[in-house]
Amino acid sequence: MPTYRAPVRDTLFVLRDVLGYGRYDNLPGFADASPDVLEAILAEGARLAENVMQPLNRAGDTEGCTRHEDGSVSTPKGFGEAYRHYCEGGWMGLSAPVEYGGQGLPYLVHSAVGEYLSSANMALMMYPGLTQGAIAAILTHGTDAQKNRFLPKMIEGAWTGTMNLTEPHCGTDLGLLRTRAVPNGDGSYKISGQKIFISAGEHDLSENIVHLVLARIEGAPEGTKGISLFIVPKLKLDEDGNPAGPNGVSCGALEEKMGIHGNATCVMNYDAAEGTLLGTENGGLKAMFTMMNEARLGVGMQGLAIAEAAYQNAADYARERLQGRALTGVKAPGEKADPIIVHPDIRRMLMTMRAFNEAGRALLLWTALQSDIAHRSEDEAERAQAEDHLALMTPVIKGVLTDKGFENAVMAQQVFGGHGYIEEHGMSQFVRDARITQIYEGANGIQALDLVGRKLPQDGGRAVQTFFATVGEFCETHRADEKMAPYTKALKKGLNDLQSATLWLMQNAMQKPDNAGAASYDYMHLLGLVALGYMWGRTVKTAQDRLAEGGEDTSFLEEKLVLGRFFMERVMPETGAHLARIASGAETVMALPAEAF
């Protein structure tokens, strides 16, 4: 059976030492999460993940969800009780505003705990995860009446939320959607249409489900300019805001999926369901992207979370499984064979997974910190710089962390050999669950196009230039430090490759847009590698400083130096391959006629 141990120690090291969490106690909410409180929150979140969520993960995968004849859906056994534990602990509102029942703590803390819970049971955590995105959209775009009507119940967890974008004929190209909104004359609308792939669309965990639905108001312009966003609760609300009967919203079917079986992915039918406009008329995409951007960071976290859980189980298996003898001689003389962890190829896989996980965690938390700065700082310049970071890194977090998360789940499965392919050890579930993260909330190819086509040139390239300066300054500051040389030299080479790729795009993408399209995926991963390498640089420097001070964490800190060097020597050189592919242009990619495929 799979196991999971929340990496609390590593999280605390990143927050306290690498990111300097304590320096931000001037921001609202940070002082309420003092170092001692932070440690207590992480420890309690770890207990919830390990003792409540994780034991249900495999059972939820096996049992799945059930749709009944009346359209209602039952979640797997134990999910309801676990969800109540989650809500009663106040986890839904950890970073939500106090005025609506939240705790107002940093999003950074929410993200740290979120990794543990998603590692333990990704399918179950998607129910509150979708709700978090809906909360963010209503907070940003809702009227005071809408906020007071929906947010307290959602933050409490009594009501959950979804987002409804995709239709059978319409995925990425939302301008094609057909769902219609007809004004009722009293400020409300009748919503009619069908949505597919709706995670947590119908279930038995909460008393009401608040759907955010994209639709086109009668007479609105065609394309994306005519899309609006509506709040459509599963149950109508009376004047006091209490559920008061069906609202023309039903689950037509459950999708048969490769993974995340414990989450109810629904075909949702809207038959003149009553809804209210969220945000401005024809401003639906802007409002929905508030939710999408929050969700994309959350999906990136899922990629990391699955990679961590898969790695832990692979490492445990490698220490226990006896097969063959070490190339350098017998390591377990009392056994008929050595544990497979003695073999270099097994070590290669374990080191690759762990080096990614630790850098990915640092990158995710650094980006979560920027979100807090963007939303909580009173310094306008500081907020603007943080917003630039979020715009640049959101597609990278989503695309790179999920691509690598899936690769690492497969790699962990490989450590098990044939035992990883059968269901007994649970590695198949990690692979199946991780696969969806590369697809939903915008497939990773779309993330790459968004990065190159929108985020890179935005504001004259200000965000990426700031990132170049940040990484370049780090390399220059530590250039003369012999202990840092193995790290800074490789990082600087990666940065040079990234800058060359950026220059190539500037010179070749405008005249021939296919060059940008053909380069985008490699560019996203090239930027991701440099960002991960930068996090390793900061991590190693912090570990070196701590070692120089002396203390009891010697082995923990020395492991950081080895893992960081592995990343720089074995992973960072991939930037050169990405650059070579980018500079080859689009000619061969686009050369064959469509009928030749």
Side-chain angles (χ1 to χ4, degrees):
M1 288 287 289
T3 60
Y4 173 68
R5 302 171 300 279
V8 175
R9 187 183 189 187
D10 194 64
T11 305
L12 285 170
F13 174 72
V14 173
L15 293 177
R16 291 177 176 176
D17 298 305
V18 179
L19 299 180
Y21 175 87
R23 298 200 305 268
Y24 298 91
D25 59 3
N26 62 311
L27 296 179
F30 276 71
D32 295 326
S34 64
D36 289 344
V37 171
L38 173 65
E39 187 168 352
I41 291 172
L42 294 183
E44 192 59 36
R47 279 191 287 272
L48 179 65
E50 295 167 1
N51 301 329
V52 178
M53 302 296 184
Q54 194 276 335
L56 297 172
N57 192 41
R58 188 174 179 192
D61 178 63
T62 303
E63 181 183 344
C65 297
T66 304
R67 180 184 178 276
H68 306 287
E69 289 186 6
D70 62 357
S72 64
V73 172
S74 298
T75 53
K77 183 179 179 181
F79 271 37
E81 184 178 356
Y83 178 73
R84 284 191 292 275
H85 273 287
Y86 176 86
C87 295
E88 290 168 1
W91 298 103
M92 184 79 84
L94 197 63
S95 62
V98 174
E99 59 264 39
Y100 299 110
Q103 299 176 53
L105 297 177
Y107 178 69
L108 180 60
V109 179
H110 166 82
S111 297
V113 174
E115 181 202 332
Y116 305 163
L117 297 172
S118 289
S119 285
N121 197 325
M122 176 176 152
L124 173 52
M125 287 310 301
M126 286 173 65
Y127 294 97
L130 270 295
T131 307
Q132 297 285 349
I135 288 170
I138 295 172
L139 267 173
T140 304
H141 301 285
T143 64
D144 288 341
Q146 288 172 329
K147 293 175 186 178
N148 291 325
R149 194 170 181 82
F150 294 103
L151 291 180
K153 287 289 190 181
M154 296 173 75
I155 289 169
E156 178 190 343
W159 298 353
T160 54
T162 72
M163 61 172 148
N164 286 234
L165 288 75
T166 307
E167 299 181 6
H169 61 286
C170 161
T172 300
D173 191 354
L174 291 171
L176 300 176
L177 70 79
R178 297 171 183 162
T179 301
R180 296 289 170 180
V182 179
N184 287 324
D186 59 358
S188 66
Y189 295 78
K190 285 186 173 68
I191 312 298
S192 298
Q194 185 180 78
K195 300 289 184 176
I196 63 171
F197 304 160
I198 308 306
S199 301
E202 169 61 25
H203 55 81
D204 56 1
L205 301 183
S206 61
E207 65 179 6
N208 204 359
I209 303 173
V210 180
H211 300 287
L212 299 193
V213 184
L214 283 182
R216 194 183 307 279
I217 298 172
E218 282 191 332
E222 292 300 313
T224 56
K225 293 181 180 180
I227 295 174
S228 300
L229 183 62
F230 298 88
I231 302 176
V232 187
K234 170 187 170 180
L235 301 176
K236 291 182 180 180
L237 305 182
D238 62 21
E239 293 182 358
D240 297 323
N242 298 313
N247 188 27
V249 181
S250 63
C251 170
L254 288 178
E255 306 284 7
E256 295 289 338
K257 310 187 299 288
M258 175 180 175
I260 54 169
H261 294 149
N263 193 268
T265 307
C266 302
V267 175
M268 297 301 300
N269 296 321
Y270 293 86
D271 184 11
E274 184 177 299
T276 56
L277 184 67
L278 179 59
T280 60
E281 188 172 312
N282 302 329
L285 276 192
K286 179 181 179 181
M288 181 56 80
F289 269 109
T290 299
M291 189 172 184
M292 285 287 286
N293 286 332
E294 172 117 359
R296 284 171 176 172
L297 291 174
V299 173
M301 179 197 63
Q302 288 177 337
L304 168 65
I306 293 291
E308 175 65 27
Y311 159 77
Q312 289 186 16
N313 284 274
D316 288 346
Y317 185 78
R319 285 191 295 266
E320 298 167 0
R321 175 69 168 171
L322 302 179
Q323 289 285 284
R325 289 296 188 185
L327 298 175
T328 54
V330 175
K331 302 301 181 186
E335 302 287 350
K336 292 182 178 181
D338 290 329
I340 62 173
I341 201 167
V342 304
H343 302 304
D345 194 56
I346 297 294
R347 291 293 191 99
R348 173 190 63 82
M349 291 187 281
L350 294 175
M351 290 289 284
T352 300
M353 288 183 272
R354 185 168 168 188
F356 162 79
N357 290 349
E358 296 196 10
R361 181 172 300 116
L363 178 60
L364 185 73
L365 293 176
W366 182 39
T367 302
L369 174 61
Q370 301 309 307
S371 179
D372 280 319
I373 293 170
H375 291 101
R376 299 172 189 242
S377 176
E378 296 181 359
D379 186 315
E380 185 175 347
E382 192 175 54
R383 286 200 312 273
Q385 187 168 331
E387 287 167 358
D388 281 352
H389 175 96
L390 283 169
L392 183 69
M393 284 298 164
T394 294
V396 175
I397 292 280
K398 198 283 182 183
V400 175
L401 265 60
T402 60
D403 275 352
K404 294 299 181 183
F406 176 74
E407 288 177 18
N408 288 348
V410 172
M411 205 177 297
Q413 185 183 42
Q414 187 73 14
V415 171
F416 281 75
H419 291 283
Y421 193 67
I422 62 175
E423 294 294 331
E424 178 184 355
H425 291 280
M427 302 308 291
S428 168
Q429 184 186 352
F430 292 135
V431 172
R432 290 184 285 103
D433 286 357
R435 187 65 184 90
I436 187 57
T437 65
Q438 299 170 285
I439 299 171
Y440 62 13
E441 310 305 345
N444 286 355
I446 299 298
Q447 303 302 319
L449 286 173
D450 176 51
L451 173 64
V452 169
R454 293 194 183 101
K455 305 302 172 56
L456 211 56
Q458 190 171 301
D459 298 314
R462 186 177 68 199
V464 76
Q465 292 299 330
T466 299
F467 178 73
F468 292 163
T470 299
V471 179
E473 182 181 348
F474 178 86
C475 293
E476 181 62 26
T477 299
H478 302 293
R479 186 166 61 90
D481 186 341
E482 291 185 6
K483 291 183 178 179
M484 286 295 294
Y487 309 96
T488 54
K489 286 181 179 179
L491 178 58
K492 186 63 166 66
K493 172 61 168 60
L495 177 61
N496 290 343
D497 287 342
L498 178 61
Q499 291 174 313
S500 296
T502 307
L503 180 60
W504 188 92
L505 283 170
M506 291 171 60
Q507 294 171 339
N508 294 278
M510 291 295 291
Q511 303 90 330
K512 189 175 181 181
D514 279 343
N515 278 332
S520 61
Y521 193 78
D522 277 288
Y523 188 89
M524 177 180 73
H525 276 275
L526 175 49
L527 177 53
L529 277 173
V530 175
L532 293 168
Y534 173 59
M535 299 319 297
W536 264 122
R538 291 180 63 176
T539 297
V540 165
K541 179 57 180 169
T542 303
Q544 289 180 347
D545 291 345
R546 285 274 307 275
L547 283 166
E549 296 169 0
E552 300 178 356
D553 290 340
T554 301
S555 60
F556 173 80
L557 297 169
E558 288 177 344
E559 288 172 11
K560 301 295 183 189
L561 308 187
V562 175
L563 286 161
R565 188 156 186 167
F566 175 90
F567 186 91
M568 295 303 180
E569 292 177 356
R570 301 294 296 253
V571 182
M572 185 60 77
E574 294 172 13
T575 61
H578 288 302
L579 174 59
R581 286 193 287 265
I582 290 168
S584 72
E587 184 177 351
T588 54
V589 173
M590 305 303 293
L592 289 178
E595 58 270 18
F597 286 90

